[in-house]
Amino acid sequence: MLPYDIFARTMETPKDFKDDRLDRENFLKFDQIGKSNDYVMSVASRFQLCEPSQVHEYGEATVAVKNNRYLALNGVFPDPMKRYIGFYDFYAKSALDLKLTTYTSMIKYRPEHGQTAHFQVEIYWNGLGSSRDRKECRRQMREAISDGCFGPTVSPEVIDDENLAGPIAALERRQQPVRRLFSAACMT
C-alpha cells in the first residue's frame, strides 16, 4: 500500500447521521472481528473506482446488500430504509501513519459481496494495553482518518431529496490535501 493511495468511505443514512449531522464516530466506526480484540472498517479503492459514479454504484450496492440482509432476517425491510448518501476520500497514510501503542494497522484487499474494490482498514491488537487503552487507540485511529478525509462527493440520486437537504447541507466540505512530491531539502 502506497501512502497516497486513495480510499473512499461511503456514507449511509440513518446509521451515519445523528440530528441531521454526520456522526463521525458512527461513520468511521471499526467493527469488532468476532470476539477478538481486532477491528475492521470497510473502504473502497479509488484506484479501482476511479470515477465518482463508480463509487456511487459501489455505495448503492453496499446499502442494497444491507437492506436485503435485514429483509432475509426479519421478513420486512428496515424502517427507515438504509440509503446511500455519498462518500469521503482519504489517503492510505491517514490510516497507516499513526503510531498506535496497542494496535498494528494495515489496509488489506478483502473483496466481498461481488465487490472487487472492497478493502478493509484493519487494526490488530498487539497484546499490550488495557481495554481503556485499546478504546483510546481506536478513537485516535478514527480521528486520524477523519482529519485526512476530503470531499464529500454526494450521490446525484439524493442531492435534491428534500428529506436529506439538512444532512447534506451540514456535511463538512474539505479540499484534497496537496501531495508533497519533493522534500524541502530538494527545493532551492
Side-chain angles (χ1 to χ4, degrees), residues 75-176:
V76 295
F77 280 110
D79 185 23
M81 291 278 283
K82 297 176 189 320
R83 293 192 60 198
Y84 169 73
I85 301 296
F87 64 94
Y88 278 95
D89 287 317
F90 67 92
Y91 290 123
K93 67 191 266 54
S94 298
L96 301 176
D97 280 0
L98 186 65
K99 302 300 180 220
L100 300 170
T101 58
T102 62
Y103 289 102
T104 300
S105 64
M106 57 193 67
I107 299 176
K108 289 191 173 181
Y109 180 57
R110 302 275 192 213
E112 74 177 16
H113 306 296
Q115 299 279 14
T116 58
H118 183 265
F119 282 69
Q120 290 180 164
V121 177
E122 301 181 353
I123 54 176
Y124 294 98
W125 184 40
N126 62 14
L128 302 174
S130 67
S131 175
R132 179 176 287 170
D133 295 335
R134 293 190 303 271
K135 185 175 183 178
E136 173 60 16
C137 280
R138 291 192 303 275
R139 186 200 62 75
Q140 289 174 13
M141 178 63 99
R142 279 193 310 273
E143 189 174 285
I145 294 171
S146 177
D147 289 349
C149 282
F150 50 95
T153 304
V154 177
S155 170
E157 298 294 320
V158 299
I159 202 150
D160 294 324
D161 187 322
E162 290 180 16
N163 295 322
L164 298 173
I168 291 171
L171 290 171
E172 182 180 354
R173 270 72 175 163
R174 295 181 179 182
Q175 293 294 322
Q176 182 173 356

Side-chain angles (χ1 to χ4, degrees), residues 39-53:
Y39 290 80
V40 299
M41 180 176 63
S42 293
V43 296
S45 167
R46 293 287 274 141
F47 179 77
Q48 292 183 9
L49 306 176
C50 300
E51 297 298 323
S53 61

